[in-house]
Amino acid sequence: MTALTLERMRADVAEMLGEAPEDIGNDENLMDLGLDSMRVLGLVLAWGNTGIALEFGHLAEHATLGGWWSVVQRLQNRGTADA
């Protein structure tokens, strides 16, 4: 499986919002940009296909791409440690 990257996450969020990836900063509040819970759930499902045990609650605790990336890195490292 392909590891989830910050670049893919940024591109996927940008696509959901109809924005260019370079317009999505790591510290921008994604909810303020128009991302709602249903879209977040869609991202969770898509990103879960990369093999990490990502859940909606993991992302709901954070409102920025940088916060989400920290969660993903932690989950990816946990998965590597379990292997």
Side-chain angles (χ1 to χ4, degrees):
M1 292 195 194
T2 304
L4 184 57
T5 65
L6 178 57
E7 292 78 22
R8 176 178 169 191
M9 291 176 68
R10 185 182 320 280
D12 289 349
V13 168
E15 184 177 342
M16 285 270 185
L17 295 173
E19 301 286 340
E22 58 270 13
D23 292 338
I24 308 296
N26 288 351
D27 297 324
E28 295 212 43
N29 185 311
L30 299 173
M31 305 315 140
D32 289 347
L33 295 178
L35 199 65
D36 59 31
S37 60
M38 292 305 295
R39 290 177 177 169
V40 173
L41 184 57
L43 291 169
V44 168
L45 293 172
W47 294 340
N49 291 333
T50 64
I52 59 173
L54 186 62
E55 298 176 9
F56 179 83
H58 293 134
L59 300 186
E61 297 175 10
H62 306 278
T64 66
L65 189 59
W68 288 4
W69 178 237
S70 295
V71 169
V72 167
Q73 285 182 306
R74 189 171 62 247
L75 291 171
Q76 286 178 334
N77 289 338
R78 185 181 305 158
T80 301
D82 293 342

